[in-house]
């Protein structure tokens, strides 16, 4: 079983898989840019009670697995991150501007998935079995 986190009022284990794509899938992410994108993510994440667990990139998108708390405002974090990282990356790596259209770095959309140690079907069966031992 994975490690549970807790705060004053709850115990939880919230893992997410986030995929963010460069606008028009421009091929601009290399190892150096990926390292900087992760640094920015890790700088902003604690303000939203998030912590990076895994990070990987391809030339046009990044994958991030992170943990959160029940109070984490994920959509606000993602918007803050995309805005700050876009601004900083374009400033620190000016050569990227030549490959982007209309100054956008990230696509407006993103994919955010919850992750777990078991399948949905296992959880469904567990919930359905509750209370049946005493019948």
């Amino acid at each position: 079983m994975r490690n549970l986190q807790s705060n004053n009022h709850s115990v939880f284990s919230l893992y997410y898989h986030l995929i963010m794509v460069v606008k028009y899938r421009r091929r601009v992410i290399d190892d150096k840019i990926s390292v900087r994108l992760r640094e920015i993510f890790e700088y902003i994440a604690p303000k939203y009670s998030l912590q990076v667990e895994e990070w990987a990139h391809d030339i046009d998108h990044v994958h991030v697995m992170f943990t959160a708390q029940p109070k984490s405002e994920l959509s606000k974090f993602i918007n803050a991150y995309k805005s700050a990282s876009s601004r900083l990356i374009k400033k620190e790596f000016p050569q990227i501007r030549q490959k982007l259209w209309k100054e956008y770095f990230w696509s407006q959309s993103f994919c955010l998935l919850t992750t777990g140690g078991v399948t949905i079907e296992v959880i469904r069966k567990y919930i359905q079995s509750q209370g049946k031992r005493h019948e």
Side-chain angles (χ1 to χ4, degrees), residues 66-120:
F66 64 91
T67 59
Q69 293 188 12
K71 67 180 182 178
S72 300
E73 296 179 280
L74 300 180
S75 61
K76 285 185 180 181
F77 165 75
I78 293 168
N79 287 334
Y81 170 73
K82 287 167 84 173
S83 177
S85 62
S86 178
R87 184 177 62 256
L88 290 169
I89 288 296
K90 289 183 296 187
K91 180 181 176 187
E92 296 171 18
F93 300 90
Q95 69 276 16
I96 285 180
R97 290 180 178 269
Q98 299 165 359
K99 296 182 180 179
L100 300 174
W101 190 66
K102 286 194 174 182
E103 301 292 317
Y104 297 112
F105 184 80
W106 296 111
S107 169
Q108 185 177 358
S109 58
F110 58 87
C111 177
L112 181 64
L113 307 165
T114 57
T115 61
V118 297
T119 65
I120 298 296

Side-chain angles (χ1 to χ4, degrees), residues 2-5 12-18 51-54 64-69 74 112-117:
R2 69 172 88 159
N3 294 334
L4 295 175
Q5 296 177 304
F12 50 89
S13 178
L14 301 172
Y15 282 76
Y16 294 91
H17 177 190
L18 174 63
Q51 182 176 342
V52 174
E53 295 290 324
E54 296 289 335
V64 188
M65 183 172 70
F66 64 91
T67 59
Q69 293 188 12
L74 300 180
L112 181 64
L113 307 165
T114 57
T115 61

Side-chain angles (χ1 to χ4, degrees), residues 25-90:
R25 296 196 78 103
R26 299 289 192 216
R27 299 168 174 232
V28 297
I29 301 176
D30 59 19
D31 290 343
K32 239 175 134 172
I33 291 171
S34 178
V35 166
R36 184 62 177 127
L37 288 169
R38 182 177 180 157
E39 289 171 353
I40 298 164
F41 195 102
E42 290 176 335
Y43 178 77
I44 298 171
K47 296 175 178 98
Y48 293 85
S49 302
L50 308 178
Q51 182 176 342
V52 174
E53 295 290 324
E54 296 289 335
W55 181 281
H57 76 278
D58 203 337
I59 55 178
D60 61 357
H61 65 280
V62 297
H63 289 264
V64 188
M65 183 172 70
F66 64 91
T67 59
Q69 293 188 12
K71 67 180 182 178
S72 300
E73 296 179 280
L74 300 180
S75 61
K76 285 185 180 181
F77 165 75
I78 293 168
N79 287 334
Y81 170 73
K82 287 167 84 173
S83 177
S85 62
S86 178
R87 184 177 62 256
L88 290 169
I89 288 296
K90 289 183 296 187

